[in-house]
């Protein structure tokens, strides 16, 4: 099978499309014929060799956590899913023609493989950081770097829970953020005052890692009311870095429920063929994403 792999840490150029042995579904796992794989910032952070405790890496390594596809092997002890089912979920080395998933759910009706591949890690992360930051209905949550996949999910989930959201993003994404129910403003010079004019901030999330941790602490008045998923230096300011996933099956179940109610939709900004994984990483690292990027297999 074809698979994207890297044998050394480094830039996008270390990614290679190789011929590899097919993986197989062990106990408690399913294998899918991958139709699409989600592109997440953690993918290129791992490729660079950043120290992420939740994702220890042995070289050579495959790439990718999220995927959607067709079940073609069911491991021992697995119930409730059959060969031929269309599922989306999280596993390992998903930039490949076949991948083994450790968590999955049946794809919601009306969702394409391309769309479904963008949800698993994004929704798990969004649910986790909303919970960890402790924001309650009736309060206001500031989301720095709000237009990407996690931000898109956070805005919609928070609004569904009765939380007011302020989202910062590029000038071109202001209407997009407002369409997701956020009070939107641009980043850049003067952004703190622009946020203050929109209202009090009870909690804040740093999704982009653009060096705004101290300003977020200033706006909330408490480092315990700020969470970052992108700035590894956040703990130096007393802010938690959240990088260890919670229950992916629970997150997938909630994603299915939100999608079915029409309360969650994350658009796919761009799709890439498997051979262009390096280009997908370059674009992901550049930021300014509106929604999700996915690899088509």
């Amino acid at each position: 099978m074809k698979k994207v792999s890297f044998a050394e840490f480094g830039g996008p150029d270390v990614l290679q499309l190789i011929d590899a042995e097919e993986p197989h579904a062990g106990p408690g796992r399913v294998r899918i014929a991958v139709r699409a794989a989600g592109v997440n910032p953690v993918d290129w952070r791992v490729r660079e060799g950043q120290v992420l405790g939740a994702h220890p890496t042995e070289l050579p390594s495959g790439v990718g956590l999220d995927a959607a596809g067709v079940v073609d092997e069911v491991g021992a002890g697995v119930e409730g899913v059959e060969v031929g089912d269309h599922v989306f979920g999280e596993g390992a080395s998903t930039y490949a023609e076949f991948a083994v998933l450790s968590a999955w759910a049946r794809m919601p009706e009306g969702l394409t493989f391309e769309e479904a591949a963008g949800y698993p890690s994004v929704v798990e992360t969004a649910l986790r950081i909303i919970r960890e930051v402790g924001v309650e209905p009736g309060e206001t949550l500031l989301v720095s770097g709000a237009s990407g996949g996690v931000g898109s999910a956070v805005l919609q989930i928070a609004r569904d829970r009765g939380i007011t959201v302020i989202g910062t993003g590029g000038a071109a994404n202001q209407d997009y953020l407002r369409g997701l129910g956020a009070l939107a403003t641009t980043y850049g010079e003067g952004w703190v005052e622009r946020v203050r004019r929109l209202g009090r901030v009870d909690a804040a999330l740093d999704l982009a890692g653009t060096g705004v941790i101290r300003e977020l602490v200033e706006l909330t008045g408490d480092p315990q009311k700020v969470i970052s998923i992108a700035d590894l230096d956040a703990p130096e300011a007393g802010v938690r870095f959240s990088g260890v996933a919670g229950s992916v099956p629970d997150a997938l179940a909630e994603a299915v429920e939100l999608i079915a109610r029409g309360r969650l939709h994350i658009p796919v900004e761009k799709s890439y063929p498997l051979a262009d994984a390096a280009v997908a990483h370059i674009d992901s690292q550049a930021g300014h994403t509106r929604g999700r990027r996915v690899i088509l297999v």
Side-chain angles (χ1 to χ4, degrees):
M1 71 166 189
K2 296 294 184 184
K3 169 185 175 179
V4 175
S5 178
F6 61 98
E8 60 181 320
F9 296 116
D13 57 303
V14 303
L15 296 179
Q16 302 291 326
L17 185 61
I18 65 170
D19 290 308
E21 291 187 12
E22 294 180 7
H24 293 284
R29 303 288 189 265
V30 300
R31 187 179 84 165
I32 62 170
V34 178
R35 297 291 184 263
V39 177
N40 295 300
V42 68
D43 300 345
W44 52 260
R45 290 181 182 275
V46 169
R47 186 210 71 220
E48 287 185 339
Q50 294 186 26
V51 180
L52 304 173
H55 301 282
T57 305
E58 293 184 8
L59 299 175
S61 174
V63 189
L65 296 173
D66 293 348
V70 181
V71 175
D72 78 339
E73 280 186 8
V74 177
V78 173
E79 298 178 352
V81 65
E82 299 177 352
V83 170
D85 285 348
H86 292 188
V87 301
F88 69 134
E90 187 176 282
S93 302
T94 56
Y95 293 19
E97 292 179 324
F98 295 93
V100 173
L101 300 183
S102 54
W104 60 88
R106 280 194 175 88
M107 282 170 44
E109 253 185 78
L111 217 60
T112 66
F113 290 117
E114 181 180 21
E115 292 168 328
Y119 282 87
S121 293
V122 160
V123 176
E124 186 284 318
T125 301
L127 291 167
R128 166 169 35 96
I129 59 180
I130 290 171
R131 180 181 68 251
E132 288 178 350
V133 83
V135 63
E136 301 288 344
E139 294 185 330
T140 297
L141 174 67
L142 170 61
V143 183
S144 176
S147 65
V150 174
S152 298
V154 164
L155 297 185
Q156 294 173 80
I157 293 167
R159 292 293 295 140
D160 188 60
R161 296 181 176 184
I163 297 163
T164 298
V165 285
I166 298 172
T168 68
N173 288 329
Q174 296 298 292
D175 287 342
Y176 173 73
L177 295 178
R178 293 186 187 101
L180 297 182
L183 302 170
T185 190
T186 53
Y187 43 68
E189 187 175 351
W191 74 270
V192 171
E193 289 308 313
R194 289 195 293 277
V195 166
R196 282 202 173 104
R197 287 197 292 270
L198 292 173
R200 170 181 168 165
V201 174
D202 297 295
L205 300 173
D206 166 41
L207 308 185
T210 52
V212 296
I213 293 296
R214 296 189 186 282
E215 288 86 347
L216 297 180
V217 172
E218 177 188 338
L219 284 162
T220 61
D222 182 356
Q224 294 302 304
K225 299 300 291 184
V226 181
I227 296 284
S228 178
I229 63 168
D231 190 337
L232 294 172
D233 295 327
E236 294 178 7
V239 167
R240 285 172 291 171
F241 179 88
S242 183
V244 178
S247 171
V248 178
D250 288 350
L252 291 170
E254 188 155 353
V256 169
E257 188 265 337
L258 287 163
I259 293 165
R261 288 198 291 115
R263 302 298 289 176
L264 179 63
H265 172 70
I266 305 175
V268 176
E269 179 175 48
K270 190 172 180 180
S271 301
Y272 307 78
L274 197 58
D276 284 351
V279 178
H281 278 207
I282 290 168
D283 290 348
S284 176
Q285 284 186 257
H288 310 295
T289 301
R290 182 182 300 181
R292 305 291 290 118
R293 300 180 186 275
V294 299
I295 301 285
L296 296 181
V297 181

